[in-house]
Amino acid sequence: MREKHFGLGLFSLLVFVFLLGPLLIIFATSFEPGIVLQFPPDGFSFRWYEQIFKVEGFLRTFKTSIAISLLGNVFALLFGIPAAYALSRSSFRGKELINGLFLSPILIPGIVLGFTLMKYLIVVYHLPMYAGLLIGHTVIMLPFIVRVVASSLSTFDFAIEEAALSLGAGRMSAFFKVVLPNIRSGIIASMLIAFLESFNNIDISVYMTGPGVSTLPIEMLTYVENHFDPTIAAISVLLMVLTGVLMLVIERLMGLSQFTRR
Amino acid sequence: MKKSVLYGLLLPGLLFLGIFMVIPIVLTIGSTFYHDGTLTLSGYTHFFGDSYFNQILLTTVVVSLITTLLCLALGFPTAYYISRKTARSKGILLAIAIFPLLTSPIVRSFSWMIILGRKGLINDAIVGLGLSDKPLDILYTPTAIVIGLTHLFLPIMIISLVGVLENIDTDLVIAAQSLGASRMSAFVRIVFPLALPGIVIGAVLVFVGSLTAYTTPALLGGKQRVISTFLYQNAMTLNDWFLASVIAVIMIAITFIVVGLMNRAARQLNPKG
């Protein structure tokens, strides 16, 4: 029994090295003191971290990305929480279909969704680029909000809400005073998951960039295509730190099982 | 819940998705059957009759299939190992597996550019060990795309498999072995059938994901086109929106067909229905 597990353990260890090794290599190369991106690095310095802040495009697009992801998050919550509540609270004909529609932005290939959004929102409806970005990001965040909030509601005992209603509370006040506080951590987790999804998005944003308009991932993509220096490694490390922190918060709030269903 | 309340809750979201997602997609699908003022299937006959387009489609499918098989081969033993751990170490190992999933695809593709490049780790090792006297071209080939995609989607495979494997009662395996089944036959006849729903779901998620991934092939594939980078190229660089729409519809069709088949298979494999 033991030997078998030893072999399995070794195999799994190698798989984890494959998964994490490349990220560790990025981490190491970000401290390169020279100008050539290489592993192992020639020494240790923070010069490429300083370099990030000297490239105007990175700071500007970082702000755009944050603004789009946060604002889109608010819209997705406004559409998503009522929908998740209605879908969890009642059964009606066509419920599966509507549930499927709310989750469908995950299923439709991002690069296709981005193309159709660009074609109609920007070119046919003549919306400004920022509006297109905001709408596109709201669309892709919506399924994550609906799914995580619905999963949070599935553990909520609606008898408590019934009790509030029978004691004279209105529908609105029962929802805001009884239901909402109970699913608060689920809502925050859904926001963070949706935020990561939007903040890292490329497939949609890649169609919605124009003069002066871009998101951080797109700026990074363009940079990588033209330069091969450790700046991107340094930004990558900062993004990984951000990811790690958000992941820790999500784990505390809802557990990581939220990621295990895609 | 009253009908009016129900509609009031669902309608804003439905209208939003209807206007900004469903209508653009439906119009895009419609536009592919209408060219030069007539109703036609020429977009599709042209696409499937062109050897260059077929080559791209074939490359994409082959790359996705190999990626799926690699993810299964690497993911299954790892998921099995994780599923046999105690709750605490399982949580930690799953967290480690999930972390790359949440990391930007640019970051992850970029790391493979460092590793696979002509002056990268792999080529340093190959030249250093004397396996080849000059660096190999790995980056910007389909091989690089397969490696990048496997790295991208392996966590999804592991997660899908841990989900089913942790629910398999180890006593079943022990019972089978104590009744004389070999380790191999206990695995093939007990663990594998019980894990099949997870295998199907994981494989479909990886396959569809690989088929439609953009960033990884864009960065690691170089001039090697796959269907998603080909769509982008036609939409944004060549401005051939008719062809781009045809490609978009083909991608949607493939995705829905594969996922639909998966749902049917998963229903049949799951005895609980």
Side-chain angles (χ1 to χ4, degrees):
Chain A
M1 206 70 185
R2 276 203 81 82
E3 306 134 73
K4 181 78 184 179
H5 274 277
F6 177 74
L8 196 61
L10 187 68
F11 184 88
S12 307
L13 179 72
L14 291 176
V15 168
F16 277 108
V17 168
F18 170 70
L19 277 178
L20 294 184
L23 302 181
L24 293 174
I25 287 174
I26 288 202
F27 183 75
T29 53
S30 72
F31 299 108
E32 170 68 41
I35 55 163
V36 181
L37 184 93
Q38 56 184 352
F39 181 83
D42 252 351
F44 184 88
S45 93
F46 280 110
R47 69 179 277 196
W48 298 104
Y49 286 87
E50 289 164 26
Q51 178 65 26
I52 300 173
F53 298 94
K54 290 181 192 149
V55 181
E56 186 267 340
F58 287 140
L59 277 182
R60 182 171 47 80
T61 55
F62 175 72
K63 286 179 197 153
T64 309
S65 279
I66 291 280
I68 294 287
S69 297
L70 289 182
L71 207 56
N73 217 314
V74 172
F75 282 121
L77 284 175
L78 289 177
F79 296 130
I81 295 179
Y85 175 74
L87 290 167
S88 317
R89 191 74 175 83
S90 59
S91 53
F92 50 92
R93 264 185 54 195
K95 180 174 154 174
E96 279 308 306
L97 191 72
I98 291 184
N99 190 42
L101 184 66
F102 274 108
L103 300 184
S104 63
I106 302 183
L107 197 60
I108 295 165
I111 200 76
V112 170
L113 193 57
F115 169 62
T116 58
L117 286 171
M118 182 271 293
K119 197 171 151 192
Y120 287 95
L121 301 193
I122 309 295
V123 179
V124 179
Y125 303 163
H126 292 294
L127 290 178
M129 208 65 101
Y130 279 115
L133 269 178
L134 185 59
I135 290 169
H137 280 243
T138 306
V139 169
I140 54 157
M141 279 193 263
L142 197 49
F144 293 94
I145 302 281
V146 170
R147 200 174 58 187
V148 178
V149 173
S151 116
S152 183
L153 280 168
S154 70
T155 58
F156 174 70
D157 184 359
F158 283 109
I160 306 173
E161 191 195 17
E162 295 292 347
L165 288 172
S166 71
L167 290 171
R171 273 225 158 263
M172 276 293 199
S173 86
F175 179 78
F176 282 103
K177 288 189 177 148
V178 178
V179 182
L180 210 55
N182 275 292
I183 56 166
R184 198 178 47 203
S185 57
I187 291 176
I188 299 172
S190 77
M191 288 170 70
L192 296 177
I193 293 170
F195 177 86
L196 277 174
E197 211 47 52
S198 153
F199 190 78
N200 286 333
N201 179 274
I202 291 160
D203 302 3
I204 308 282
S205 309
V206 78
Y207 289 104
M208 311 257 188
T209 53
V213 186
S214 190
T215 63
L216 181 62
I218 303 304
E219 190 73 11
M220 287 169 69
L221 194 66
T222 318
Y223 194 89
V224 170
E225 279 164 358
N226 299 313
H227 310 75
F228 198 69
D229 68 35
T231 320
I232 292 294
I235 300 187
S236 300
V237 171
L238 297 184
L239 290 182
M240 283 193 268
V241 171
L242 177 76
T243 306
V245 170
L246 290 184
M247 199 175 133
L248 211 66
V249 179
I250 296 168
E251 199 271 330
R252 287 273 163 260
L253 288 169
M254 285 284 280
L256 289 175
S257 65
Q258 290 313 313
F259 300 110
T260 59
R261 298 171 305 132
R262 280 196 79 87
Chain B
M1 194 182 289
K2 276 195 300 231
K3 275 254 152 65
S4 57
V5 179
L6 186 67
Y7 290 146
L9 292 170
L10 290 172
L11 213 54
L14 288 178
L15 278 178
F16 179 78
L17 286 181
I19 295 170
F20 295 122
M21 186 187 79
V22 178
I23 292 179
I25 287 180
V26 170
L27 290 176
T28 301
I29 296 174
S31 75
T32 60
F33 297 106
Y34 192 77
H35 197 45
D36 293 334
T38 47
L39 279 177
T40 172
L41 283 172
S42 68
Y44 297 93
T45 50
H46 180 221
F47 184 93
F48 289 109
D50 187 304
S51 62
Y52 176 63
F53 300 165
N54 281 332
Q55 189 54 51
I56 290 173
L57 197 57
L58 185 70
T59 307
T60 313
V61 171
V62 170
V63 159
S64 306
L65 275 177
I66 298 175
T67 302
T68 309
L69 292 177
L70 271 175
C71 283
L72 250 179
L74 296 175
F76 195 95
T78 311
Y80 190 73
Y81 178 76
I82 295 175
S83 72
R84 297 293 142 222
K85 287 278 165 187
T86 57
R88 197 185 145 71
S89 16
K90 201 192 292 180
I92 295 171
L93 291 175
L94 273 180
I96 298 175
I98 290 168
F99 180 73
L101 195 60
L102 300 178
T103 308
S104 164
I106 298 192
V107 174
R108 299 169 68 187
S109 299
F110 181 66
S111 68
W112 287 103
M113 293 172 79
I114 304 176
I115 297 168
L116 301 176
R118 290 185 74 86
K119 289 176 184 161
L121 274 186
I122 301 285
N123 269 321
D124 278 357
I126 287 173
V127 176
L129 291 170
L131 295 173
S132 165
D133 45 357
K134 59 178 195 297
L136 304 177
D137 288 314
I138 310 172
L139 192 59
Y140 307 134
T141 65
T143 309
I145 303 179
V146 168
I147 295 173
L149 288 175
T150 304
H151 187 241
L152 197 65
F153 291 118
L154 184 55
I156 293 180
M157 180 66 91
I158 292 178
I159 288 164
S160 306
L161 290 174
V162 169
V164 287
L165 288 171
E166 68 184 355
N167 290 325
I168 297 175
D169 192 345
T170 12
D171 287 349
L172 287 177
V173 182
I174 296 170
Q177 285 177 359
S178 73
L179 291 170
S182 71
R183 197 177 272 289
M184 196 58 194
S185 101
F187 178 83
V188 172
R189 295 169 70 171
I190 294 173
V191 178
F192 187 76
L194 288 171
L196 207 52
I199 294 176
V200 171
I201 292 173
V204 168
L205 289 177
V206 173
F207 182 70
V208 169
S210 306
L211 214 56
T212 57
Y214 171 75
T215 314
T216 304
L219 284 175
L220 301 180
K223 288 199 174 62
Q224 176 64 56
R225 294 268 169 259
V226 292
I227 192 155
S228 57
T229 50
F230 189 50
L231 165 60
Y232 180 79
Q233 186 194 26
N234 278 289
M236 299 301 273
T237 320
L238 306 174
N239 278 316
D240 186 344
W241 284 14
F242 181 67
L243 181 56
S245 302
V246 170
I247 303 168
V249 173
I250 292 172
M251 288 177 76
I252 293 179
I254 297 178
T255 308
F256 276 77
I257 290 170
V258 174
V259 173
L261 288 176
M262 169 191 85
N263 282 337
R264 276 190 63 172
R267 251 197 305 274
Q268 279 175 2
L269 291 169
N270 188 347
K272 279 172 273 174

